[in-house]
């Protein structure tokens, strides 16, 4: 029997928190609530959470800051609650890794549908290796070491190679799931929390740029290999370093 998904609702308006909690519980989910980002952080430390519903506009630490923290430290999916006029915040939220958003005022039934959709996507993704699940670590492969905490890639010659945010996320995703075939859709989910659009080649472009930086011969890659009809796989051995 599948465990009941645990949803954390973070919103500074008690009426909204209570309404959502009642509705989601009525529809078979477990729910915790928090009135601020600080309370949300405490809940995440105390319990396993499957998805966070997060309001953007809150006093103190706002939802975007909290979302950035979640994306840097966990794989927990995030759905943002935004006001109709907050288009820029919605875009920023998606850019930093939110999985979806719902605009206020919203229908709880729509939010429930989005929660179920995001959970289905998240559950279909390959899990990272448990021994590499920490946020602060160094991962070695081939001739390289990636300092995850400092977001720095260094070669055996001691020279650091600059990585864009997108390249870092893609490389970190591969390193935490070595020798696993990842489709383009899965890579988009894992690196930017969004669905692929028709003719979306952004992952292919990122892989190409990353290969130019880490492969001995980018035209004949041996580290990031293409799996025809399937996507990509990280073919090098990966070790966690002290």
């Amino acid at each position: 029997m599948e465990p009941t998904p645990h949803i954390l609702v973070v919103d500074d308006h008690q009426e909204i928190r209570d309404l959502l909690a009642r509705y989601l519980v009525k529809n078979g989910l477990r729910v915790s609530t928090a009135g601020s980002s600080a309370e949300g952080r405490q809940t995440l430390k105390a319990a396993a959470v499957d998805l966070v519903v997060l309001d953007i506009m809150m006093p103190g630490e706002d939802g975007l800051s909290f979302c950035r923290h979640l994306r840097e430290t966990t794989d927990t999916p995030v759905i943002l609650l935004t006001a109709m006029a907050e288009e820029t915040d919605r875009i920023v939220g998606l850019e930093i890794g939110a999985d979806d958003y719902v605009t206020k005022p919203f229908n709880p039934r729509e939010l429930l549908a989005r929660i179920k959709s995001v959970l289905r996507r998240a559950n279909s993704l390959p899990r990272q290796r448990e021994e590499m699940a920490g946020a602060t670590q160094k991962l070695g492969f081939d001739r390289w070491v990636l300092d995850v905490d400092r977001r720095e890639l260094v070669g055996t010659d001691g020279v650091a190679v600059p990585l864009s945010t997108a390249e870092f996320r893609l490389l970190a995703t591969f390193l935490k799931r070595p020798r696993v075939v990842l489709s383009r859709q899965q890579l988009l989910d894992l690196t930017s929390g969004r669905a692929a659009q028709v003719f979306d080649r952004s992952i292919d472009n990122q892989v190409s740029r990353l290969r130019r930086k880490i492969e001995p011969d980018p035209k004949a890659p041996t580290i990031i290999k293409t799996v025809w009809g399937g996507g990509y796989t990280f073919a090098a051995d990966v070790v966690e370093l002290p």
Side-chain angles (χ1 to χ4, degrees):
M1 184 176 179
E2 290 293 324
T4 303
H6 184 192
I7 311 301
L8 172 60
V9 177
V10 185
D11 195 302
D12 60 315
H13 290 92
Q14 184 174 353
E15 184 178 352
I16 292 176
R17 296 198 307 271
D18 292 346
L19 170 68
L20 284 180
R22 288 194 300 269
Y23 184 80
L24 296 178
V25 168
K26 181 180 177 181
N27 283 274
L29 299 172
R30 288 191 299 130
V31 180
S32 295
T33 62
S36 66
S37 295
E39 290 182 17
R41 287 175 183 256
Q42 291 302 315
T43 301
L44 288 167
K45 289 179 181 178
V49 171
D50 297 293
L51 182 144
V52 178
V53 176
L54 178 60
D55 185 30
I56 286 184
M57 296 297 293
M58 293 187 294
E61 182 184 14
D62 66 17
L64 291 178
S65 174
F66 189 28
C67 180
R68 186 177 291 107
H69 164 75
L70 287 169
R71 197 46 68 238
E72 290 174 350
T73 58
T74 77
D75 288 330
T76 306
V78 178
I79 296 178
L80 296 176
L81 300 179
T82 76
M84 192 67 72
E86 294 172 355
E87 181 177 2
T88 300
D89 285 344
R90 290 199 297 274
I91 294 171
V92 171
L94 293 173
E95 288 178 343
I96 64 178
D99 295 83
D100 206 345
Y101 68 86
V102 175
T103 56
K104 295 180 177 180
F106 58 86
N107 187 322
R109 184 176 178 182
E110 177 189 0
L111 177 59
L112 176 63
R114 291 179 182 271
I115 287 173
K116 290 182 176 179
S117 176
V118 171
L119 287 174
R120 280 195 301 271
R121 265 180 28 215
N123 290 334
S124 72
L125 297 174
R127 288 296 182 187
Q128 66 189 37
R129 285 164 53 177
E130 290 299 324
E131 66 269 23
M132 294 184 178
T136 303
Q137 60 197 353
K138 292 183 180 179
L139 302 176
F141 66 97
D142 196 65
R143 302 169 293 119
W144 303 98
V145 173
L146 179 68
D147 188 322
V148 177
D149 192 41
R150 298 176 62 182
R151 299 194 171 200
E152 184 177 66
L153 180 66
V154 181
T156 53
D157 55 4
V159 177
V161 174
L163 295 174
S164 68
T165 297
E167 290 165 353
F168 167 78
R169 288 177 178 169
L170 181 61
L171 180 56
T173 294
F174 277 129
L175 290 177
K176 293 177 180 180
R177 297 166 179 83
R179 304 190 186 281
V180 174
V181 176
L182 297 169
S183 69
R184 291 174 178 83
Q185 176 61 70
Q186 289 173 328
L187 287 168
L188 275 171
D189 280 330
L190 289 164
T191 58
S192 57
R194 66 182 179 87
Q197 305 299 315
V198 178
F199 304 124
D200 190 334
R201 310 304 294 179
S202 60
I203 286 295
D204 298 313
N205 293 333
Q206 291 175 30
V207 167
S208 179
R209 290 195 296 268
L210 191 54
R211 279 172 169 167
R212 288 198 291 269
K213 294 185 177 182
I214 68 174
E215 295 277 4
D217 180 2
K219 294 182 179 179
T222 58
I223 300 175
I224 303 176
K225 291 187 175 181
T226 300
V227 179
W228 299 112
Y232 298 97
T233 187
F234 196 84
D237 290 329
V238 180
V239 294
E240 187 169 11
L241 304 174

